[in-house]
Amino acid sequence: MAKPSSDYDKFRWFNEARYGMFLHWGLYSQIERGELIMHTEQIPVAEYEKLADTWTVRGNPARAWARLAKRAGMKYMVLTAKHCDGFCLWDTKMTPYNAVQRGPRRDLLAQYVAAARAEGMRVGFYYSFVDWHNPDCQAFNDSPAARRRFVEFTRGLIGELLSNYGPIDMLWYDAIWPFNARTLQSRRLDQLVRRLQPRILTNDRSWIPGDFTTTEGRIVPSDPGRNWEACMMTNDSWGYAARPSCDWICPRDILRMIRSVTGAGGNLLLNVGPKADGSLPAQAEPLLTAAGNWLAQNGEAVYGKMDRRREPLNDCWTHRGNTGYYWCTVCYPRGRFAIGAVERRVQSVTLLPGGKSLKFKQEGTRLIIENLPARNPDPIAQMPVLKIIFG
Ligand code: GLC
């Protein structure tokens, strides 16, 4: 692959995307109790392996995921190429424990990449270093020979992922135990990754910083100057598990997360766990679509290069240059209300969407808005946004 020119900003798409779809899908989806079931229920390898023959997938479910991601306002997708159970969703030569030689009998990753690209999504692979299927991983810290083999195994797998599927935008490492940067030879691996995909972005879970920080289950901005993403769940489980409806978040929750990451210059990677056959749980579509409809109307407060606030989690505002977007989150202020701590002169206040102009005056640092519509103008999430242009 050609080396990018020196003025190429590999972070640009990431900084503008804001929102992506995380997908945990694998053998474990058949059991319907999450992606860590092999570990949490201490299922022996020989027993768990049988799932590789019972897994069937019809058609290319990634088409529906990618279409939904697009309707949801997401700009990238990250699928579990290999989770900790070690089963590879692609046509690997490194192990027969893969979706081409077992159950599904096809390259699920190739299907996913094609589907994601067809909808204009940036493409990411999740890759777990941990591998409960490979005995060399278990012996990693005790046997130098096992360690050597496992490092080469890892390089072989990652080499395939980054050689056989065209340009890949993101490699999303995951790791729990038992490695470190020295034993896994993370820097050497990173060189391989950059050689194969010079424009790729990597997260920070290979014991070296990588290109961006990822926080899990919490929105925690990284240090200024560092790119970051928060990965979050929709229902208290990454891999598919039948969950009571109270475990599911609502569209407003999604928008609140998007507001937080936008204001602090990060991204949201929101998970859905498809069922084993690839269909999405019934709750996913209405949830993501509703938030997507909101984003279609209010996207200018979210997408593109936004300014990062100095107080990262002062959650009501997002900013771009001379424009501030005030998200009426807590409760809808009827009629007249004031926003405090507005230091700059304001030129105009309008309501997104529609652009209705609102009357306002400034008293000191209070911005007083006089004529908000009596009824909340946002039927989707009760979260209208005011666009405020500063002078
Ligand atoms: C946690 C889970 C892992 C999941 C990851 C996503 O680390 O243990 O299964 O893939 O979160 O960030």
Side-chain angles (χ1 to χ4, degrees):
M1 195 168 293
K3 236 185 157 33
S5 64
S6 55
D7 59 355
Y8 178 79
D9 177 6
K10 69 175 183 173
F11 290 105
R12 183 163 171 188
W13 74 265
F14 183 81
N15 287 325
E16 297 182 348
R18 201 67 61 219
Y19 186 28
M21 179 182 271
F22 206 6
L23 294 134
H24 280 70
W25 191 48
L27 297 181
Y28 45 82
S29 310
Q30 296 173 82
I31 306 188
E32 307 193 342
R33 289 198 293 278
E35 77 290 354
L36 299 178
I37 186 87
M38 181 176 178
H39 175 70
T40 53
E41 298 192 12
Q42 297 192 305
I43 305 175
V45 175
E47 186 184 329
Y48 189 88
E49 243 200 69
K50 292 182 190 148
L51 294 169
D53 297 316
T54 53
W55 192 18
T56 54
V57 175
R58 247 188 307 136
N60 181 3
R63 289 214 193 94
W65 309 341
R67 279 197 295 264
L68 178 59
K70 189 170 184 180
R71 278 204 306 283
M74 294 161 161
K75 308 292 184 191
Y76 64 107
M77 299 169 75
V78 179
L79 171 67
T80 47
K82 173 170 92 80
H83 207 273
C84 307
D85 65 2
F87 190 74
C88 296
L89 265 50
W90 73 99
D91 186 11
T92 173
K93 307 286 175 278
M94 301 300 299
T95 168
Y97 198 45
N98 71 60
V100 175
Q101 294 186 39
R102 308 289 290 267
R105 303 253 166 222
R106 75 190 92 146
D107 190 325
L108 299 173
L109 218 54
Q111 293 193 333
Y112 152 74
V113 171
R117 289 217 184 101
E119 299 299 332
M121 294 287 136
R122 294 279 177 165
V123 177
F125 294 152
Y126 163 109
Y127 180 90
S128 165
F129 290 111
V130 172
D131 192 318
W132 298 320
H133 185 261
N134 186 332
D136 288 337
C137 183
Q138 309 308 310
F140 190 83
N141 280 330
D142 305 322
S143 153
R147 180 183 300 180
R148 264 197 304 278
R149 282 194 302 269
F150 192 73
V151 166
E152 291 315 307
F153 176 70
T154 301
R155 293 174 65 83
L157 291 170
I158 288 181
E160 289 176 346
L161 288 176
L162 302 188
S163 304
N164 300 343
Y165 299 91
I168 300 302
D169 300 292
M170 183 181 281
L171 181 57
W172 208 102
Y173 296 120
D174 200 9
I176 309 169
W177 167 95
F179 322 100
N180 60 45
R182 186 183 55 80
T183 56
L184 196 66
Q185 303 185 28
S186 303
R187 300 239 170 245
R188 193 172 146 244
L189 178 63
D190 193 55
Q191 284 162 9
L192 172 71
V193 167
R194 311 280 164 203
R195 183 158 54 72
L196 295 173
Q197 298 274 348
R199 296 183 171 187
I200 204 164
L201 300 182
T202 59
N203 72 351
D204 58 346
R205 291 190 174 177
S206 69
W207 293 271
I208 56 175
D211 295 307
F212 65 93
T213 302
T214 190
T215 67
E216 182 179 305
R218 287 182 316 144
I219 294 176
V220 185
S222 63
D223 295 337
R226 171 108 180 133
N227 290 286
W228 68 279
E229 169 196 83
C231 64
M232 305 290 282
M233 296 189 224
T234 42
N235 67 354
D236 236 9
S237 178
W238 302 103
Y240 178 73
R243 286 284 182 174
S245 53
C246 60
D247 278 0
W248 281 81
I249 60 171
C250 68
R252 207 172 136 85
D253 294 323
I254 296 181
L255 298 169
R256 261 197 291 256
M257 293 189 236
I258 288 179
R259 182 203 56 204
S260 298
V261 298
T262 305
N267 282 354
L268 171 66
L269 183 64
L270 189 64
N271 184 73
V272 287
K275 296 182 182 177
D277 67 2
S279 60
L280 292 172
Q283 293 90 336
E285 162 114 28
L287 169 71
L288 298 182
T289 306
N293 290 341
W294 188 97
L295 286 164
Q297 296 177 1
N298 298 283
E300 71 163 90
V302 171
Y303 298 114
K305 182 96 178 105
M306 302 293 285
D307 301 332
R308 191 175 162 151
R309 272 192 307 257
R310 260 177 258 132
E311 298 163 68
L313 292 178
N314 168 6
D315 256 357
C316 293
W317 291 94
T318 58
H319 284 281
R320 183 192 291 108
N322 267 349
T323 307
Y325 299 92
Y326 184 84
W327 302 49
C328 302
T329 318
V330 183
C331 58
Y332 182 65
R334 268 166 231 279
R336 190 181 138 105
F337 88 111
I339 305 174
V342 176
E343 308 277 349
R344 298 162 69 186
R345 297 317 298 164
V346 170
Q347 264 180 11
S348 66
V349 181
T350 52
L351 200 53
L352 282 186
K356 177 182 158 47
S357 10
L358 300 176
K359 281 207 212 101
F360 66 92
K361 61 182 176 189
Q362 288 183 276
E363 288 176 1
T365 55
R366 291 186 86 204
L367 171 63
I368 300 166
I369 293 164
E370 310 267 8
N371 62 337
L372 274 179
R375 215 202 259 148
N376 192 321
D378 175 33
I380 299 173
Q382 306 289 303
M383 201 188 291
V385 174
L386 305 182
K387 175 175 179 176
I388 298 174
I389 300 192
F390 297 102

